[in-house]
Amino acid sequence: MQANQERAITMTYEFLQHYWWLLIAVLGGLLVFLMFVQGANSMIFQLGKTDIERRLVVNSTGRKWEFTFTTLVTFGGAFFASFPLFYSTSFGSAYWVWVIILFSFIIQAVSYEFQNKAGNLLGVKTFQTCLIINGIVGPLLIGGAVATFFTGSNFIVEKANIANEMPAVISQWANASRGLDVLLNPWVVIFGLAVVFLARILGTLYINNNVNDDAIRSRVRPQLIINTVLFLVFFLTFFVRTLISDGYAVAASGEIVMEPMKYLNNLLDMWYLIVVLLVGVLLLLFGIVRTILQKDYIKGIWPAGIGVVLVVIVLFLIVGYNNTAYYPSTADLQSSLTLQNSCSSQFTLTAMFYASLIIPFVLAYIFYAWRSIDSKEIDSKEISDDHAY
């Protein structure tokens, strides 16, 4: 009877681990979708050729940048609460990557507020350039950070240090770069660039939907074609290589071992993820292709956005589920992080499970706020308002 009770507890703990990884996957998908803000900002000078047109683009994304930043913070907070060892390893040890990401979001917020303020000595274009920097650096580094779930990172975990009398340092980077060395991995950069061009696709679709200006909309389709081609080249190169390469598996003993074509095997074992992946890809392509072919179609952001969320969720699940090390270590294979060895206690995960039940109400409020903000398309009259950016 005791064995059955212990098995029930283990199963409950396993469910909670998988439940929280699923929530993180959903947050990751929403974050990538909301990076349409960064994507549109990176094309301020491509979509807007006059001061008025550029202000239209900036004011359109300025309505939504808080959603992106809040989701990024929530994404990090969810990792901190549910998988604290990952948080301390990546956010703590590889902090330079995250510091640069956060700094790029800080200059984004400052640029929105001050670019058209009286007494701006730096000039409007200086702040618009800062928005472009955030639009490129943010998606590039966030995409690069996600790529390390597949490629691995250079860290060491020593849980035995917690027993030391000195302040315990459980995880540390294996060199002095504090995470910047991951950018030397070409596959990390390739996936980061794929996210940059995906953000630009979403940004183009969003501006097409949200800005009521014929001149700007006339530039949407050429930009959409260019960025779609570049996205497909980088993403498919990374994705195909990942499926056919060795992956980081967790043996029955808990040992981390290399398994040929691990991520392809995960997809085949979890066949339902293939269905979700195909639906996501088709929705993304539908939003893009119909926008290109049908001049008066402006709602491509919605099927494309839903498709992106579904694809990102699948990527997170194949790297975390099915006995896979979601954060592999290239310095010490056995330091790799899994759902089992990096999660919070069962009590913490249980308490947060009940707290997470309010999420549907939060999403309902976001939906309501979004519709209220976008009740009217942006046009030249909007930017004459005192509250315009």
mmCIF file of all heavy atoms in Angstrom, residues 40 43-61 115 128 207 211-219 378-380 383 389:
data_model
loop_
_atom_site.group_PDB
_atom_site.id
_atom_site.type_symbol
_atom_site.label_atom_id
_atom_site.label_comp_id
_atom_site.label_asym_id
_atom_site.label_seq_id
_atom_site.Cartn_x
_atom_site.Cartn_y
_atom_site.Cartn_z
ATOM 1 N N ALA A 40 7.916 45.129 -36.275
ATOM 2 C CA ALA A 40 7.463 46.349 -36.950
ATOM 3 C C ALA A 40 8.429 47.498 -36.705
ATOM 4 O O ALA A 40 8.727 48.286 -37.618
ATOM 5 C CB ALA A 40 6.060 46.718 -36.470
ATOM 6 N N MET A 43 11.407 47.839 -38.904
ATOM 7 C CA MET A 43 11.153 48.259 -40.286
ATOM 8 C C MET A 43 10.541 49.652 -40.362
ATOM 9 O O MET A 43 9.838 49.977 -41.329
ATOM 10 C CB MET A 43 10.228 47.248 -40.970
ATOM 11 C CG MET A 43 10.830 45.865 -41.097
ATOM 12 S SD MET A 43 9.785 44.770 -42.096
ATOM 13 C CE MET A 43 8.366 44.650 -41.020
ATOM 14 N N ILE A 44 10.806 50.467 -39.362
ATOM 15 C CA ILE A 44 10.243 51.823 -39.350
ATOM 16 C C ILE A 44 10.565 52.566 -40.642
ATOM 17 O O ILE A 44 9.691 53.199 -41.247
ATOM 18 C CB ILE A 44 10.767 52.608 -38.141
ATOM 19 C CG1 ILE A 44 10.196 52.031 -36.842
ATOM 20 C CG2 ILE A 44 10.405 54.097 -38.254
ATOM 21 C CD1 ILE A 44 10.771 52.656 -35.590
ATOM 22 N N PHE A 45 11.813 52.489 -41.089
ATOM 23 C CA PHE A 45 12.229 53.250 -42.266
ATOM 24 C C PHE A 45 11.893 52.537 -43.571
ATOM 25 O O PHE A 45 11.938 53.151 -44.639
ATOM 26 C CB PHE A 45 13.717 53.560 -42.195
ATOM 27 C CG PHE A 45 14.078 54.505 -41.079
ATOM 28 C CD1 PHE A 45 14.662 54.031 -39.915
ATOM 29 C CD2 PHE A 45 13.803 55.850 -41.180
ATOM 30 C CE1 PHE A 45 14.986 54.901 -38.873
ATOM 31 C CE2 PHE A 45 14.115 56.728 -40.150
ATOM 32 C CZ PHE A 45 14.706 56.252 -38.995
ATOM 33 N N GLN A 46 11.576 51.226 -43.511
ATOM 34 C CA GLN A 46 11.132 50.534 -44.722
ATOM 35 C C GLN A 46 9.643 50.770 -44.977
ATOM 36 O O GLN A 46 9.220 50.941 -46.111
ATOM 37 C CB GLN A 46 11.388 49.022 -44.607
ATOM 38 C CG GLN A 46 12.810 48.599 -44.848
ATOM 39 C CD GLN A 46 13.677 48.765 -43.613
ATOM 40 O OE1 GLN A 46 13.178 48.747 -42.495
ATOM 41 N NE2 GLN A 46 14.979 48.921 -43.818
ATOM 42 N N LEU A 47 8.855 50.779 -43.895
ATOM 43 C CA LEU A 47 7.411 50.956 -44.047
ATOM 44 C C LEU A 47 7.015 52.427 -44.090
ATOM 45 O O LEU A 47 6.026 52.786 -44.731
ATOM 46 C CB LEU A 47 6.676 50.258 -42.897
ATOM 47 C CG LEU A 47 6.788 48.738 -42.849
ATOM 48 C CD1 LEU A 47 6.102 48.192 -41.603
ATOM 49 C CD2 LEU A 47 6.188 48.103 -44.099
ATOM 50 N N GLY A 48 7.755 53.271 -43.397
ATOM 51 C CA GLY A 48 7.441 54.696 -43.359
ATOM 52 C C GLY A 48 8.511 55.522 -44.043
ATOM 53 O O GLY A 48 9.667 55.520 -43.610
ATOM 54 N N LYS A 49 8.146 56.229 -45.074
ATOM 55 C CA LYS A 49 9.118 57.038 -45.823
ATOM 56 C C LYS A 49 9.063 58.517 -45.444
ATOM 57 O O LYS A 49 9.967 59.268 -45.782
ATOM 58 C CB LYS A 49 8.867 56.890 -47.331
ATOM 59 C CG LYS A 49 9.007 55.468 -47.843
ATOM 60 C CD LYS A 49 10.407 54.912 -47.591
ATOM 61 C CE LYS A 49 10.554 53.515 -48.176
ATOM 62 N NZ LYS A 49 11.914 52.948 -47.932
ATOM 63 N N THR A 50 8.013 58.920 -44.773
ATOM 64 C CA THR A 50 7.903 60.313 -44.326
ATOM 65 C C THR A 50 7.785 60.335 -42.809
ATOM 66 O O THR A 50 7.546 59.298 -42.175
ATOM 67 C CB THR A 50 6.662 60.995 -44.938
ATOM 68 O OG1 THR A 50 5.479 60.374 -44.401
ATOM 69 C CG2 THR A 50 6.660 60.859 -46.453
ATOM 70 N N ASP A 51 7.939 61.501 -42.225
ATOM 71 C CA ASP A 51 7.827 61.622 -40.769
ATOM 72 C C ASP A 51 6.451 61.180 -40.288
ATOM 73 O O ASP A 51 6.332 60.508 -39.246
ATOM 74 C CB ASP A 51 8.090 63.070 -40.330
ATOM 75 C CG ASP A 51 9.542 63.481 -40.532
ATOM 76 O OD1 ASP A 51 10.395 62.572 -40.645
ATOM 77 O OD2 ASP A 51 9.822 64.689 -40.590
ATOM 78 N N ILE A 52 5.415 61.554 -41.020
ATOM 79 C CA ILE A 52 4.052 61.182 -40.642
ATOM 80 C C ILE A 52 3.871 59.669 -40.685
ATOM 81 O O ILE A 52 3.314 59.054 -39.752
ATOM 82 C CB ILE A 52 3.018 61.863 -41.568
ATOM 83 C CG1 ILE A 52 3.077 63.383 -41.425
ATOM 84 C CG2 ILE A 52 1.611 61.342 -41.268
ATOM 85 C CD1 ILE A 52 2.645 63.883 -40.069
ATOM 86 N N GLU A 53 4.368 59.040 -41.743
ATOM 87 C CA GLU A 53 4.220 57.589 -41.868
ATOM 88 C C GLU A 53 4.987 56.851 -40.776
ATOM 89 O O GLU A 53 4.497 55.857 -40.226
ATOM 90 C CB GLU A 53 4.708 57.144 -43.246
ATOM 91 C CG GLU A 53 3.798 57.610 -44.390
ATOM 92 C CD GLU A 53 4.378 57.333 -45.760
ATOM 93 O OE1 GLU A 53 5.536 56.862 -45.835
ATOM 94 O OE2 GLU A 53 3.680 57.609 -46.745
ATOM 95 N N ARG A 54 6.173 57.341 -40.450
ATOM 96 C CA ARG A 54 6.939 56.692 -39.387
ATOM 97 C C ARG A 54 6.245 56.844 -38.038
ATOM 98 O O ARG A 54 6.259 55.931 -37.211
ATOM 99 C CB ARG A 54 8.363 57.254 -39.348
ATOM 100 C CG ARG A 54 9.235 56.758 -40.499
ATOM 101 C CD ARG A 54 10.692 57.112 -40.291
ATOM 102 N NE ARG A 54 10.938 58.527 -40.572
ATOM 103 C CZ ARG A 54 11.267 59.007 -41.766
ATOM 104 N NH1 ARG A 54 11.356 58.192 -42.810
ATOM 105 N NH2 ARG A 54 11.495 60.294 -41.938
ATOM 106 N N ARG A 55 5.627 57.989 -37.813
ATOM 107 C CA ARG A 55 4.886 58.183 -36.561
ATOM 108 C C ARG A 55 3.669 57.256 -36.504
ATOM 109 O O ARG A 55 3.295 56.784 -35.429
ATOM 110 C CB ARG A 55 4.448 59.635 -36.408
ATOM 111 C CG ARG A 55 5.577 60.587 -36.057
ATOM 112 C CD ARG A 55 5.042 61.891 -35.489
ATOM 113 N NE ARG A 55 4.422 61.713 -34.187
ATOM 114 C CZ ARG A 55 3.790 62.682 -33.524
ATOM 115 N NH1 ARG A 55 3.680 63.892 -34.064
ATOM 116 N NH2 ARG A 55 3.251 62.450 -32.339
ATOM 117 N N LEU A 56 3.061 56.991 -37.635
ATOM 118 C CA LEU A 56 1.943 56.047 -37.662
ATOM 119 C C LEU A 56 2.395 54.656 -37.232
ATOM 120 O O LEU A 56 1.729 53.984 -36.429
ATOM 121 C CB LEU A 56 1.339 55.991 -39.069
ATOM 122 C CG LEU A 56 0.499 57.197 -39.509
ATOM 123 C CD1 LEU A 56 0.133 57.070 -40.986
ATOM 124 C CD2 LEU A 56 -0.764 57.318 -38.663
ATOM 125 N N VAL A 57 3.544 54.219 -37.747
ATOM 126 C CA VAL A 57 4.075 52.900 -37.377
ATOM 127 C C VAL A 57 4.405 52.864 -35.886
ATOM 128 O O VAL A 57 4.036 51.921 -35.172
ATOM 129 C CB VAL A 57 5.320 52.560 -38.219
ATOM 130 C CG1 VAL A 57 5.971 51.277 -37.724
ATOM 131 C CG2 VAL A 57 4.964 52.448 -39.692
ATOM 132 N N VAL A 58 5.084 53.900 -35.404
ATOM 133 C CA VAL A 58 5.499 53.940 -34.004
ATOM 134 C C VAL A 58 4.290 53.984 -33.077
ATOM 135 O O VAL A 58 4.263 53.316 -32.034
ATOM 136 C CB VAL A 58 6.424 55.150 -33.752
ATOM 137 C CG1 VAL A 58 6.657 55.359 -32.264
ATOM 138 C CG2 VAL A 58 7.751 54.953 -34.473
ATOM 139 N N ASN A 59 3.283 54.748 -33.417
ATOM 140 C CA ASN A 59 2.105 54.830 -32.564
ATOM 141 C C ASN A 59 1.285 53.547 -32.603
ATOM 142 O O ASN A 59 0.610 53.214 -31.625
ATOM 143 C CB ASN A 59 1.234 56.021 -32.972
ATOM 144 C CG ASN A 59 1.706 57.323 -32.357
ATOM 145 O OD1 ASN A 59 1.293 57.693 -31.258
ATOM 146 N ND2 ASN A 59 2.607 58.018 -33.048
ATOM 147 N N SER A 60 1.355 52.830 -33.692
ATOM 148 C CA SER A 60 0.673 51.540 -33.758
ATOM 149 C C SER A 60 1.325 50.537 -32.813
ATOM 150 O O SER A 60 0.648 49.889 -32.008
ATOM 151 C CB SER A 60 0.707 51.002 -35.190
ATOM 152 O OG SER A 60 0.104 49.733 -35.261
ATOM 153 N N THR A 61 2.651 50.396 -32.881
ATOM 154 C CA THR A 61 3.341 49.461 -31.983
ATOM 155 C C THR A 61 3.369 49.991 -30.551
ATOM 156 O O THR A 61 3.414 49.210 -29.598
ATOM 157 C CB THR A 61 4.779 49.207 -32.461
ATOM 158 O OG1 THR A 61 5.505 50.457 -32.493
ATOM 159 C CG2 THR A 61 4.793 48.587 -33.837
ATOM 160 N N GLN A 115 10.761 60.523 -27.881
ATOM 161 C CA GLN A 115 11.179 60.891 -29.234
ATOM 162 C C GLN A 115 10.530 62.179 -29.731
ATOM 163 O O GLN A 115 11.143 62.931 -30.491
ATOM 164 C CB GLN A 115 10.890 59.751 -30.204
ATOM 165 C CG GLN A 115 9.439 59.345 -30.314
ATOM 166 C CD GLN A 115 9.270 58.186 -31.273
ATOM 167 O OE1 GLN A 115 9.513 58.326 -32.462
ATOM 168 N NE2 GLN A 115 8.874 57.038 -30.747
ATOM 169 N N GLN A 128 14.171 56.681 -32.814
ATOM 170 C CA GLN A 128 13.640 55.667 -33.730
ATOM 171 C C GLN A 128 14.694 54.615 -34.044
ATOM 172 O O GLN A 128 14.374 53.432 -34.199
ATOM 173 C CB GLN A 128 13.146 56.338 -35.013
ATOM 174 C CG GLN A 128 11.877 57.166 -34.811
ATOM 175 C CD GLN A 128 11.421 57.891 -36.055
ATOM 176 O OE1 GLN A 128 12.172 58.025 -37.028
ATOM 177 N NE2 GLN A 128 10.195 58.390 -36.047
ATOM 178 N N ILE A 207 0.952 45.791 -38.853
ATOM 179 C CA ILE A 207 0.838 47.154 -39.373
ATOM 180 C C ILE A 207 -0.199 47.199 -40.500
ATOM 181 O O ILE A 207 -1.000 48.145 -40.603
ATOM 182 C CB ILE A 207 2.205 47.661 -39.876
ATOM 183 C CG1 ILE A 207 3.181 47.805 -38.699
ATOM 184 C CG2 ILE A 207 2.054 48.995 -40.603
ATOM 185 C CD1 ILE A 207 2.749 48.784 -37.642
ATOM 186 N N VAL A 211 -2.882 49.931 -39.269
ATOM 187 C CA VAL A 211 -2.637 51.290 -39.756
ATOM 188 C C VAL A 211 -3.423 51.520 -41.038
ATOM 189 O O VAL A 211 -3.223 50.830 -42.038
ATOM 190 C CB VAL A 211 -1.139 51.534 -40.006
ATOM 191 C CG1 VAL A 211 -0.920 52.925 -40.593
ATOM 192 C CG2 VAL A 211 -0.359 51.383 -38.707
ATOM 193 N N ASN A 212 -4.303 52.485 -41.003
ATOM 194 C CA ASN A 212 -5.138 52.808 -42.159
ATOM 195 C C ASN A 212 -4.444 53.871 -43.017
ATOM 196 O O ASN A 212 -4.741 55.058 -42.939
ATOM 197 C CB ASN A 212 -6.511 53.303 -41.689
ATOM 198 C CG ASN A 212 -7.466 53.537 -42.844
ATOM 199 O OD1 ASN A 212 -7.212 53.106 -43.966
ATOM 200 N ND2 ASN A 212 -8.562 54.227 -42.581
ATOM 201 N N ASP A 213 -3.481 53.412 -43.816
ATOM 202 C CA ASP A 213 -2.727 54.319 -44.672
ATOM 203 C C ASP A 213 -2.350 53.559 -45.943
ATOM 204 O O ASP A 213 -1.635 52.552 -45.892
ATOM 205 C CB ASP A 213 -1.473 54.824 -43.955
ATOM 206 C CG ASP A 213 -0.739 55.870 -44.754
ATOM 207 O OD1 ASP A 213 0.132 55.489 -45.569
ATOM 208 O OD2 ASP A 213 -1.019 57.068 -44.574
ATOM 209 N N ASP A 214 -2.806 54.041 -47.072
ATOM 210 C CA ASP A 214 -2.592 53.336 -48.338
ATOM 211 C C ASP A 214 -1.120 53.238 -48.717
ATOM 212 O O ASP A 214 -0.672 52.215 -49.258
ATOM 213 C CB ASP A 214 -3.363 54.035 -49.464
ATOM 214 C CG ASP A 214 -4.871 53.907 -49.298
ATOM 215 O OD1 ASP A 214 -5.305 52.961 -48.609
ATOM 216 O OD2 ASP A 214 -5.608 54.758 -49.843
ATOM 217 N N ALA A 215 -0.354 54.299 -48.438
ATOM 218 C CA ALA A 215 1.064 54.281 -48.802
ATOM 219 C C ALA A 215 1.814 53.209 -48.015
ATOM 220 O O ALA A 215 2.649 52.470 -48.571
ATOM 221 C CB ALA A 215 1.676 55.664 -48.552
ATOM 222 N N ILE A 216 1.531 53.117 -46.727
ATOM 223 C CA ILE A 216 2.193 52.101 -45.888
ATOM 224 C C ILE A 216 1.759 50.706 -46.316
ATOM 225 O O ILE A 216 2.586 49.794 -46.453
ATOM 226 C CB ILE A 216 1.887 52.350 -44.407
ATOM 227 C CG1 ILE A 216 2.578 53.633 -43.930
ATOM 228 C CG2 ILE A 216 2.332 51.166 -43.555
ATOM 229 C CD1 ILE A 216 2.281 54.019 -42.493
ATOM 230 N N ARG A 217 0.466 50.527 -46.557
ATOM 231 C CA ARG A 217 -0.030 49.205 -46.948
ATOM 232 C C ARG A 217 0.517 48.774 -48.306
ATOM 233 O O ARG A 217 0.672 47.577 -48.569
ATOM 234 C CB ARG A 217 -1.556 49.201 -46.953
ATOM 235 C CG ARG A 217 -2.144 49.094 -45.548
ATOM 236 C CD ARG A 217 -3.651 49.173 -45.517
ATOM 237 N NE ARG A 217 -4.154 48.847 -44.179
ATOM 238 C CZ ARG A 217 -5.377 49.104 -43.755
ATOM 239 N NH1 ARG A 217 -6.249 49.703 -44.578
ATOM 240 N NH2 ARG A 217 -5.753 48.768 -42.530
ATOM 241 N N SER A 218 0.859 49.738 -49.161
ATOM 242 C CA SER A 218 1.426 49.385 -50.467
ATOM 243 C C SER A 218 2.827 48.797 -50.326
ATOM 244 O O SER A 218 3.312 48.121 -51.244
ATOM 245 C CB SER A 218 1.467 50.621 -51.370
ATOM 246 O OG SER A 218 2.419 51.569 -50.903
ATOM 247 N N ARG A 219 3.486 49.064 -49.206
ATOM 248 C CA ARG A 219 4.855 48.557 -48.989
ATOM 249 C C ARG A 219 4.860 47.248 -48.212
ATOM 250 O O ARG A 219 5.925 46.650 -48.013
ATOM 251 C CB ARG A 219 5.677 49.602 -48.243
ATOM 252 C CG ARG A 219 5.750 50.960 -48.956
ATOM 253 C CD ARG A 219 6.615 51.943 -48.206
ATOM 254 N NE ARG A 219 6.473 53.268 -48.814
ATOM 255 C CZ ARG A 219 5.884 54.307 -48.239
ATOM 256 N NH1 ARG A 219 5.418 54.190 -47.003
ATOM 257 N NH2 ARG A 219 5.774 55.460 -48.862
ATOM 258 N N ILE A 378 -5.428 53.098 -36.758
ATOM 259 C CA ILE A 378 -4.587 54.290 -36.659
ATOM 260 C C ILE A 378 -4.574 55.018 -38.009
ATOM 261 O O ILE A 378 -4.386 54.396 -39.057
ATOM 262 C CB ILE A 378 -3.156 53.887 -36.287
ATOM 263 C CG1 ILE A 378 -3.169 53.316 -34.887
ATOM 264 C CG2 ILE A 378 -2.205 55.028 -36.434
ATOM 265 C CD1 ILE A 378 -2.274 53.934 -33.911
ATOM 266 N N ASP A 379 -4.750 56.309 -37.976
ATOM 267 C CA ASP A 379 -4.612 57.131 -39.184
ATOM 268 C C ASP A 379 -3.923 58.436 -38.813
ATOM 269 O O ASP A 379 -3.505 58.631 -37.664
ATOM 270 C CB ASP A 379 -5.970 57.387 -39.849
ATOM 271 C CG ASP A 379 -6.987 58.006 -38.883
ATOM 272 O OD1 ASP A 379 -6.564 58.708 -37.942
ATOM 273 O OD2 ASP A 379 -8.197 57.786 -39.058
ATOM 274 N N SER A 380 -3.788 59.334 -39.767
ATOM 275 C CA SER A 380 -3.044 60.582 -39.533
ATOM 276 C C SER A 380 -3.677 61.447 -38.450
ATOM 277 O O SER A 380 -2.994 62.233 -37.792
ATOM 278 C CB SER A 380 -2.935 61.374 -40.846
ATOM 279 O OG SER A 380 -4.227 61.630 -41.378
ATOM 280 N N ILE A 383 -2.267 60.746 -34.688
ATOM 281 C CA ILE A 383 -0.971 61.226 -34.215
ATOM 282 C C ILE A 383 -0.981 62.719 -33.902
ATOM 283 O O ILE A 383 0.023 63.263 -33.444
ATOM 284 C CB ILE A 383 0.143 60.913 -35.231
ATOM 285 C CG1 ILE A 383 -0.133 61.609 -36.556
ATOM 286 C CG2 ILE A 383 0.315 59.429 -35.411
ATOM 287 C CD1 ILE A 383 0.977 61.452 -37.561
ATOM 288 N N TYR A 389 2.636 59.197 -29.525
ATOM 289 C CA TYR A 389 4.094 59.112 -29.416
ATOM 290 C C TYR A 389 4.745 59.956 -30.502
ATOM 291 O O TYR A 389 4.236 60.063 -31.594
ATOM 292 C CB TYR A 389 4.556 57.662 -29.539
ATOM 293 C CG TYR A 389 4.126 56.785 -28.387
ATOM 294 C CD1 TYR A 389 3.204 55.763 -28.576
ATOM 295 C CD2 TYR A 389 4.650 56.988 -27.113
ATOM 296 C CE1 TYR A 389 2.812 54.954 -27.525
ATOM 297 C CE2 TYR A 389 4.264 56.183 -26.052
ATOM 298 C CZ TYR A 389 3.350 55.175 -26.272
ATOM 299 O OH TYR A 389 2.963 54.373 -25.227
#
